[in-house]
Amino acid sequence: FFQAEDGIRDYKVTGVQTCALPILMLLRHLGENSAADRLERATAAVLEEGRNVTGDLKPTRDDPTAVGTREMADAVIAKIAEF
């Protein structure tokens, strides 16, 4: 039930949000609601800022400001520390 999207090939096009929902579901299933809430808020904040996001979240997929999945994940992790 908690499997992330499989088959991600282009790390600059598909973002970590494909993994966020299964992780949130797993955390909630385990009763880790506080951790799930922090992850959800951090992910939403990064998405809202729109700066450290992958190409699928940019106006065009070839946007040169797109970051890789690792950079987007790092941005989410940094935001978690703020919550």
Side-chain angles (χ1 to χ4, degrees):
F1 292 121
F2 308 112
Q3 182 176 349
E5 176 64 30
D6 190 23
I8 297 171
R9 300 287 183 254
D10 189 343
Y11 73 94
K12 283 238 179 197
V13 174
T14 305
V16 297
Q17 71 281 0
T18 58
C19 297
L21 184 57
I23 293 168
L24 288 170
M25 292 169 55
L26 176 61
L27 288 169
R28 293 202 194 289
H29 176 75
L30 295 173
E32 295 292 339
N33 294 322
S34 177
D37 291 344
R38 288 193 320 272
L39 176 59
E40 188 171 30
R41 286 194 305 267
T43 302
V46 170
L47 292 172
E48 186 175 316
E49 288 174 359
R51 186 179 34 195
N52 292 306
V53 297
T54 52
D56 59 325
L57 299 169
K58 294 288 188 176
T60 61
R61 285 188 169 243
D62 60 348
D63 188 318
T65 65
V67 300
T69 53
R70 184 176 309 247
E71 293 85 1
M72 185 172 174
D74 288 344
V76 172
I77 291 166
K79 284 287 180 193
I80 288 173
E82 296 177 16
F83 296 110

